[in-house]
Amino acid sequence: MEPNRTGMTRKDFLKLSATVGAGIAIGASGIGAILGIPKPQAEGSKASAHSEEDIIPMYADHQPGIVTPQQTYLYLAAFDITTGSKKDLIAMLKDWTRFCDLSAKGGTMSLGDNPLVPPTDTGETLELPPSRLTVTLGFGPSFFVRDGVNRFGAAGAMPLHLKDIPRMARDNIDPSISGGDICLQICADDQQVAFHAVRNLIRLSTGRASLKWMQEGFASGTPGKTPRNLFGFKDGTANQLHDSAQGYDDVVWAGSDEPAWMRGGSYLAYRKIQMKLESWDRTSLSDQEATFGRSKVSGAAFGAKGEFDAVEASKLPENSHVRLAKETRQQIHRRAYSYTDKVDPRTGNVDAGLLFISYQRNPDVQFLPMLRSMQNSDALNAYVSHVASAMFACPAGLQPGLYFGQRVLEG
């Protein structure tokens, strides 16, 4: 079946030109006339009837992609706002909202029927299901205030605990891949679907924001089982401790002391952690298990039988990773992905590791004490290096008719 070509008016052309960076200003109405067109369906394609399991609703009390069961692929992208116009910023956020709503439902933008201009949508997800696509948006500290300047009049809306993660003793942070004004966490079970989303969101930001850095990741595991990191150990076992509505209220969702837009939101903490795989792979199994304080195969902590059995910190090696985390008596919600980047030409070693992502309601109480303890004493430090860092405040979920950040900018 041929794509649903709806025709392109001059107005659409002007909007498209703005979208692809031709230097033509886009109006505040955004690209609403182009968005909202159903994805063309291939005859006989499975995509002709998306199953409910393929679609994660964008509109909810909390943003999707935080406590959503983890998808297989991740793109984490940070943007710096380049426009000084609040009106243009709002227009971009409206465009992003429309695109994300459409994509989460399995739709796509119209390709148009004028062969003399670039298609509006890049097209690589035609005939593909939505694959549980989620887009989670967060604001960095510099979105609100930069160099002492109240940006977009939003300084008064800054949440209580939002700040750059302080420098830690063992940090090797690269500023070029850290921080950012806005973060988009994009997850899906199909890498092409996830990349299509981030690619088109970048295009839609043209003239109003620039991509600062982007990381891609993967997390593979049997459904219902805890995924493993590249050291071969289960990553996220402790999430089971707060897997309930009350547990998420206690651990993940920001409370009533926060600005109204943040209540029901969460703080995203990010660390890019290089893993020295070659050194780890030369380490004995017993030393690997002592480093974590868990069995590599079962995931059980030392002194326990099952992965989810209660942990007795006193039975774990003194500087083991799990013991130090337990001794803080805090919980966070982990949503980590592995990554592979490139080969170090000097050593031939692979640059690979963990995109550590956690969500918490109060990073000052939950996350930062845990990070400081790990940086000072963790036996795992012999095998890892923290190279990127960021903190973002993710608003509460969107309701239909609102756009990303509306309650921040218009609250």
Side-chain angles (χ1 to χ4, degrees):
M1 181 181 295
E2 287 294 313
N4 179 19
R5 299 180 185 276
T6 58
M8 177 174 285
T9 65
R10 174 170 173 76
K11 182 179 179 182
D12 286 341
F13 169 69
L14 292 174
K15 291 172 179 175
L16 170 60
S17 299
T19 299
V20 298
I24 301 172
I26 191 168
S29 59
I31 56 171
I34 299 177
L35 296 177
I37 295 173
K39 175 184 288 188
Q41 306 294 342
E43 189 173 358
S45 167
K46 292 180 180 178
S48 60
H50 303 312
S51 67
E52 291 185 1
E53 291 76 16
D54 281 335
I55 298 174
I56 297 177
M58 173 174 160
Y59 298 108
D61 291 340
H62 309 289
Q63 286 200 69
I66 297 178
V67 300
T68 303
Q70 199 161 350
Q71 300 97 321
T72 307
Y73 298 102
L74 160 82
Y75 283 91
L76 193 66
F79 295 78
D80 280 338
I81 305 300
T82 55
T83 179
S85 164
K86 184 175 180 178
K87 180 180 178 182
D88 287 350
L89 171 62
I90 289 174
M92 182 191 76
L93 293 170
K94 287 181 176 178
D95 290 347
W96 279 3
T97 304
R98 295 184 184 115
F99 174 80
C100 292
D101 181 31
L102 186 67
S103 298
K105 295 173 181 174
T108 188
M109 294 186 287
S110 168
L111 297 183
D113 64 353
N114 188 337
L116 300 180
V117 300
T120 308
D121 195 288
T122 51
E124 64 268 40
T125 59
L126 294 171
E127 295 101 26
L128 290 180
S131 303
R132 300 200 305 128
L133 174 72
T134 59
V135 180
T136 311
L137 179 143
F139 297 107
S142 57
F143 177 86
F144 299 89
V145 178
R146 174 181 287 175
D147 299 329
V149 176
N150 177 0
R151 304 182 76 193
F152 313 110
M158 193 161 178
L160 297 177
H161 307 290
L162 182 61
K163 58 188 176 187
D164 292 326
I165 295 174
R167 182 173 179 81
M168 298 290 159
R170 297 175 183 272
D171 274 353
N172 293 298
I173 301 300
D174 180 349
S176 70
I177 53 173
S178 300
D181 294 340
I182 296 181
C183 174
L184 297 176
Q185 176 199 272
I186 298 164
C187 302
D189 288 329
D190 184 318
Q191 186 172 11
Q192 190 151 310
V193 170
F195 181 74
H196 169 264
V198 71
R199 179 184 182 185
N200 283 278
L201 287 163
I202 293 169
R203 296 173 80 225
L204 291 169
S205 72
T206 301
R208 298 168 288 191
S210 63
L211 181 67
K212 181 176 185 184
W213 54 263
M214 183 176 77
Q215 294 290 335
E216 63 179 79
F218 55 93
S220 185
T222 304
K225 303 289 186 181
T226 308
R228 293 180 183 270
N229 58 37
L230 295 184
F231 284 162
F233 281 77
K234 297 188 175 188
D235 196 308
T237 297
N239 284 353
Q240 188 263 353
L241 295 173
H242 57 264
D243 186 18
S244 66
Q246 184 61 56
Y248 292 134
D249 285 342
D250 293 340
V251 174
V252 179
W253 308 128
S256 58
D257 56 336
E258 292 280 7
W261 65 267
M262 188 62 185
R263 298 169 195 163
S266 191
Y267 290 93
L268 184 164
Y270 165 66
R271 305 282 283 183
K272 182 177 180 180
I273 304 174
Q274 285 183 341
M275 291 175 160
K276 302 172 184 175
L277 300 184
E278 290 75 11
S279 297
W280 182 257
D281 292 345
R282 292 194 295 267
T283 303
S284 69
L285 175 61
S286 59
D287 284 348
Q288 289 184 4
E289 292 183 327
T291 298
F292 275 94
R294 288 189 184 274
S295 161
K296 188 166 188 174
V297 175
S298 70
F302 284 17
K305 293 183 178 179
E307 178 188 356
F308 300 109
D309 290 351
V311 176
E312 291 188 48
S314 61
K315 294 186 176 180
L316 276 60
E318 186 173 352
N319 293 328
S320 64
H321 186 72
V322 174
R323 176 167 178 164
L324 292 175
K326 291 298 176 185
E327 286 180 342
T328 65
R329 302 182 185 280
Q330 297 297 326
Q331 294 183 49
I332 57 176
H333 186 76
R334 294 177 65 114
R335 209 173 196 280
Y337 285 82
S338 298
Y339 79 88
T340 57
D341 268 353
K342 57 185 181 300
V343 176
D344 186 333
R346 300 168 300 172
T347 63
N349 294 339
V350 177
D351 179 0
L354 188 74
L355 304 176
F356 172 91
I357 297 170
S358 71
Y359 289 93
Q360 45 275 308
R361 60 178 287 148
N362 184 339
D364 286 326
V365 172
Q366 297 168 268
F367 173 72
L368 292 179
M370 194 178 294
L371 179 62
R372 288 193 183 94
S373 176
M374 299 291 188
Q375 285 270 304
N376 290 333
S377 308
D378 194 351
L380 200 56
N381 287 334
Y383 303 97
V384 300
S385 177
H386 291 223
V387 297
S389 179
M391 178 84 74
F392 299 97
C394 301
L398 271 181
Q399 300 303 314
L402 299 181
Y403 63 86
F404 287 134
Q406 183 167 350
R407 298 176 71 196
V408 178
L409 294 169
E410 301 182 24

